[in-house]
């Protein structure tokens, strides 16, 4: 029997002055909009992963201050299930010389209305849901996460 494994991803919902940091990226489905997000790598904590992904995709240094939520979605066309850990937080700096990940065309600050206007280009249903949850004030302490590296 094959063991089923979800694709674990992290994402950052970052707001400043009423605008959210988003990325425009080239995907198999065309040009899409997403929060800075990516896969958890082996041996990496969720917090380290979201810091890394934000920097790789936007050149902004990110410090998470709360867990926004945990989201599950089955991509119907790919028959894959994604488990997203979304974090709230702030950017603490920007490196204009840092290259962006392959496929990322640009990082852009968008208002909620601008994000909604391009809903047909959202990478997943997570995009709108995370913005809505952020605007509703949803947050959980980072202490909710218990990550243990146990020596064998």
């Amino acid at each position: 029997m094959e063991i089923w494994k979800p694709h674990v991803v992290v994402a950052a919902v970052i707001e400043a002055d009423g605008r959210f940091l988003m990325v425009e990226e080239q995907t198999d489905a065309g040009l899409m909009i997403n929060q800075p997000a990516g896969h958890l790598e082996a041996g990496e904590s969720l917090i380290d992963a979201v810091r890394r992904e934000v920097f790789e995709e936007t050149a902004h240094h990110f410090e998470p201050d709360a867990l926004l939520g945990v989201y599950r979605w089955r991509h119907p066309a790919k028959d894959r299930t994604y488990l997203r850990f979304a974090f709230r937080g702030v950017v603490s700096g920007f490196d204009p010389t840092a290259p962006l990940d392959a496929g990322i065309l640009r990082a852009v600050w968008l208002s909620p209305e601008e994000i909604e206007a391009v809903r047909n280009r959202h990478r997943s249903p997570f995009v709108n849901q995370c913005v809505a949850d952020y605007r509703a004030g949803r947050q959980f302490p980072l202490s909710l996460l218990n990550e243990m590296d146990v020596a064998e």
Side-chain angles (χ1 to χ4, degrees), residues 106-129:
R106 66 184 179 133
V108 59
W109 292 91
L110 299 176
S111 70
E113 296 78 22
E114 290 168 322
I115 294 169
E116 178 61 32
V118 293
R119 188 178 198 147
N120 63 322
R121 292 196 305 129
H122 289 182
R123 180 85 187 250
S124 74
F126 295 142
V127 174
N128 247 21
Q129 188 62 56

Short mmCIF file of all heavy atoms in Angstrom, two decimals, residues 106-129:
data_model
loop_
_atom_site.label_atom_id
_atom_site.label_comp_id
_atom_site.label_asym_id
_atom_site.label_seq_id
_atom_site.Cartn_x
_atom_site.Cartn_y
_atom_site.Cartn_z
N ARG A 106 8.10 39.27 -9.90
CA ARG A 106 8.24 40.46 -9.07
C ARG A 106 7.48 40.27 -7.76
O ARG A 106 6.55 39.47 -7.68
CB ARG A 106 7.72 41.70 -9.77
CG ARG A 106 6.22 41.69 -10.02
CD ARG A 106 5.76 42.90 -10.82
NE ARG A 106 4.33 42.82 -11.06
CZ ARG A 106 3.49 43.82 -10.87
NH1 ARG A 106 3.92 44.99 -10.44
NH2 ARG A 106 2.21 43.67 -11.13
N ALA A 107 7.92 41.04 -6.78
CA ALA A 107 7.17 41.16 -5.53
C ALA A 107 6.45 42.50 -5.63
O ALA A 107 7.01 43.49 -6.13
CB ALA A 107 8.12 41.15 -4.34
N VAL A 108 5.21 42.54 -5.17
CA VAL A 108 4.40 43.74 -5.32
C VAL A 108 3.47 43.90 -4.12
O VAL A 108 2.98 42.91 -3.58
CB VAL A 108 3.60 43.68 -6.66
CG1 VAL A 108 2.68 42.48 -6.71
CG2 VAL A 108 2.86 44.96 -6.93
N TRP A 109 3.28 45.14 -3.70
CA TRP A 109 2.35 45.43 -2.60
C TRP A 109 1.00 45.76 -3.20
O TRP A 109 0.87 46.68 -4.01
CB TRP A 109 2.86 46.62 -1.78
CG TRP A 109 4.12 46.31 -1.01
CD1 TRP A 109 5.40 46.50 -1.44
CD2 TRP A 109 4.20 45.76 0.29
NE1 TRP A 109 6.28 46.09 -0.47
CE2 TRP A 109 5.59 45.65 0.61
CE3 TRP A 109 3.26 45.36 1.25
CZ2 TRP A 109 6.03 45.14 1.83
CZ3 TRP A 109 3.71 44.86 2.46
CH2 TRP A 109 5.07 44.76 2.75
N LEU A 110 -0.04 44.99 -2.83
CA LEU A 110 -1.38 45.17 -3.38
C LEU A 110 -2.39 45.41 -2.27
O LEU A 110 -2.29 44.82 -1.19
CB LEU A 110 -1.81 43.93 -4.16
CG LEU A 110 -0.97 43.54 -5.38
CD1 LEU A 110 -1.48 42.22 -5.97
CD2 LEU A 110 -0.99 44.64 -6.43
N SER A 111 -3.39 46.23 -2.57
CA SER A 111 -4.50 46.44 -1.64
C SER A 111 -5.42 45.22 -1.71
O SER A 111 -5.39 44.46 -2.68
CB SER A 111 -5.28 47.69 -2.04
OG SER A 111 -5.98 47.46 -3.25
N PRO A 112 -6.29 45.04 -0.71
CA PRO A 112 -7.25 43.93 -0.77
C PRO A 112 -8.11 44.00 -2.05
O PRO A 112 -8.42 42.96 -2.64
CB PRO A 112 -8.10 44.11 0.49
CG PRO A 112 -7.19 44.81 1.44
CD PRO A 112 -6.36 45.74 0.58
N GLU A 113 -8.45 45.19 -2.47
CA GLU A 113 -9.26 45.35 -3.69
C GLU A 113 -8.48 44.91 -4.93
O GLU A 113 -9.03 44.28 -5.84
CB GLU A 113 -9.73 46.81 -3.83
CG GLU A 113 -10.66 47.28 -2.73
CD GLU A 113 -9.94 47.62 -1.40
OE1 GLU A 113 -8.73 47.90 -1.42
OE2 GLU A 113 -10.62 47.59 -0.35
N GLU A 114 -7.20 45.24 -4.96
CA GLU A 114 -6.37 44.82 -6.10
C GLU A 114 -6.18 43.30 -6.10
O GLU A 114 -6.16 42.68 -7.17
CB GLU A 114 -5.01 45.53 -6.05
CG GLU A 114 -5.11 47.01 -6.34
CD GLU A 114 -3.84 47.78 -6.01
OE1 GLU A 114 -3.17 47.46 -4.99
OE2 GLU A 114 -3.51 48.72 -6.77
N ILE A 115 -6.06 42.72 -4.93
CA ILE A 115 -5.93 41.25 -4.84
C ILE A 115 -7.22 40.60 -5.34
O ILE A 115 -7.19 39.65 -6.11
CB ILE A 115 -5.60 40.83 -3.39
CG1 ILE A 115 -4.21 41.34 -2.99
CG2 ILE A 115 -5.70 39.31 -3.23
CD1 ILE A 115 -3.90 41.21 -1.51
N GLU A 116 -8.35 41.13 -4.92
CA GLU A 116 -9.64 40.59 -5.36
C GLU A 116 -9.83 40.76 -6.86
O GLU A 116 -10.38 39.87 -7.52
CB GLU A 116 -10.78 41.28 -4.60
CG GLU A 116 -12.16 40.83 -5.00
CD GLU A 116 -12.44 39.35 -4.78
OE1 GLU A 116 -11.89 38.76 -3.82
OE2 GLU A 116 -13.21 38.77 -5.57
N ALA A 117 -9.34 41.85 -7.42
CA ALA A 117 -9.52 42.12 -8.85
C ALA A 117 -8.80 41.10 -9.73
O ALA A 117 -9.16 40.94 -10.91
CB ALA A 117 -9.05 43.53 -9.18
N VAL A 118 -7.79 40.43 -9.19
CA VAL A 118 -7.06 39.42 -9.96
C VAL A 118 -7.33 38.00 -9.42
O VAL A 118 -6.49 37.11 -9.56
CB VAL A 118 -5.54 39.72 -10.02
CG1 VAL A 118 -5.27 40.98 -10.82
CG2 VAL A 118 -4.94 39.81 -8.62
N ARG A 119 -8.49 37.82 -8.87
CA ARG A 119 -8.85 36.52 -8.26
C ARG A 119 -8.70 35.36 -9.25
O ARG A 119 -8.34 34.26 -8.86
CB ARG A 119 -10.28 36.59 -7.73
CG ARG A 119 -10.66 35.39 -6.92
CD ARG A 119 -12.06 35.52 -6.37
NE ARG A 119 -12.20 34.57 -5.28
CZ ARG A 119 -12.94 34.77 -4.23
NH1 ARG A 119 -13.63 35.88 -4.10
NH2 ARG A 119 -13.02 33.85 -3.30
N ASN A 120 -8.95 35.61 -10.50
CA ASN A 120 -8.82 34.56 -11.52
C ASN A 120 -7.37 34.13 -11.72
O ASN A 120 -7.11 33.11 -12.35
CB ASN A 120 -9.42 35.01 -12.85
CG ASN A 120 -8.68 36.19 -13.44
OD1 ASN A 120 -8.25 37.10 -12.73
ND2 ASN A 120 -8.55 36.21 -14.75
N ARG A 121 -6.42 34.88 -11.17
CA ARG A 121 -5.00 34.53 -11.28
C ARG A 121 -4.40 34.11 -9.94
O ARG A 121 -3.18 34.00 -9.81
CB ARG A 121 -4.20 35.70 -11.86
CG ARG A 121 -4.53 35.98 -13.30
CD ARG A 121 -3.51 36.86 -14.00
NE ARG A 121 -3.26 38.13 -13.33
CZ ARG A 121 -2.04 38.58 -13.02
NH1 ARG A 121 -0.96 37.88 -13.28
NH2 ARG A 121 -1.90 39.76 -12.45
N HIS A 122 -5.23 33.84 -8.94
CA HIS A 122 -4.70 33.38 -7.66
C HIS A 122 -4.16 31.97 -7.80
O HIS A 122 -4.78 31.12 -8.43
CB HIS A 122 -5.78 33.41 -6.58
CG HIS A 122 -6.15 34.79 -6.16
ND1 HIS A 122 -7.07 35.03 -5.17
CD2 HIS A 122 -5.74 36.01 -6.58
CE1 HIS A 122 -7.20 36.35 -5.00
NE2 HIS A 122 -6.41 36.95 -5.85
N ARG A 123 -3.02 31.73 -7.20
CA ARG A 123 -2.36 30.42 -7.29
C ARG A 123 -3.22 29.33 -6.67
O ARG A 123 -3.21 28.18 -7.11
CB ARG A 123 -1.00 30.50 -6.59
CG ARG A 123 -0.18 29.24 -6.59
CD ARG A 123 0.64 29.12 -7.85
NE ARG A 123 1.31 27.84 -7.94
CZ ARG A 123 2.61 27.67 -7.83
NH1 ARG A 123 3.39 28.70 -7.60
NH2 ARG A 123 3.13 26.48 -7.97
N SER A 124 -3.98 29.68 -5.62
CA SER A 124 -4.85 28.70 -4.96
C SER A 124 -5.94 29.46 -4.20
O SER A 124 -5.85 30.68 -4.04
CB SER A 124 -4.03 27.85 -3.98
OG SER A 124 -3.72 28.61 -2.82
N PRO A 125 -6.93 28.74 -3.68
CA PRO A 125 -7.95 29.38 -2.86
C PRO A 125 -7.38 29.93 -1.55
O PRO A 125 -8.01 30.72 -0.86
CB PRO A 125 -8.96 28.27 -2.56
CG PRO A 125 -8.58 27.11 -3.37
CD PRO A 125 -7.21 27.32 -3.91
N PHE A 126 -6.16 29.49 -1.19
CA PHE A 126 -5.51 29.98 0.02
C PHE A 126 -5.33 31.50 -0.01
O PHE A 126 -5.38 32.16 1.02
CB PHE A 126 -4.12 29.38 0.20
CG PHE A 126 -4.06 27.89 0.42
CD1 PHE A 126 -3.05 27.15 -0.16
CD2 PHE A 126 -4.99 27.24 1.22
CE1 PHE A 126 -2.95 25.78 0.06
CE2 PHE A 126 -4.90 25.87 1.44
CZ PHE A 126 -3.89 25.14 0.85
N VAL A 127 -5.08 32.06 -1.18
CA VAL A 127 -4.74 33.49 -1.29
C VAL A 127 -5.84 34.35 -0.68
O VAL A 127 -5.59 35.13 0.23
CB VAL A 127 -4.46 33.88 -2.76
CG1 VAL A 127 -4.24 35.38 -2.89
CG2 VAL A 127 -3.25 33.12 -3.29
N ASN A 128 -7.06 34.21 -1.17
CA ASN A 128 -8.17 35.02 -0.65
C ASN A 128 -8.49 34.69 0.80
O ASN A 128 -8.76 35.58 1.60
CB ASN A 128 -9.41 34.82 -1.50
CG ASN A 128 -9.78 36.06 -2.25
OD1 ASN A 128 -8.97 36.94 -2.45
ND2 ASN A 128 -11.03 36.13 -2.66
N GLN A 129 -8.47 33.41 1.14
CA GLN A 129 -8.83 33.01 2.50
C GLN A 129 -7.85 33.57 3.51
O GLN A 129 -8.25 34.04 4.58
CB GLN A 129 -8.90 31.49 2.61
CG GLN A 129 -9.45 31.02 3.94
CD GLN A 129 -10.88 31.49 4.17
OE1 GLN A 129 -11.76 31.23 3.35
NE2 GLN A 129 -11.12 32.19 5.27
#
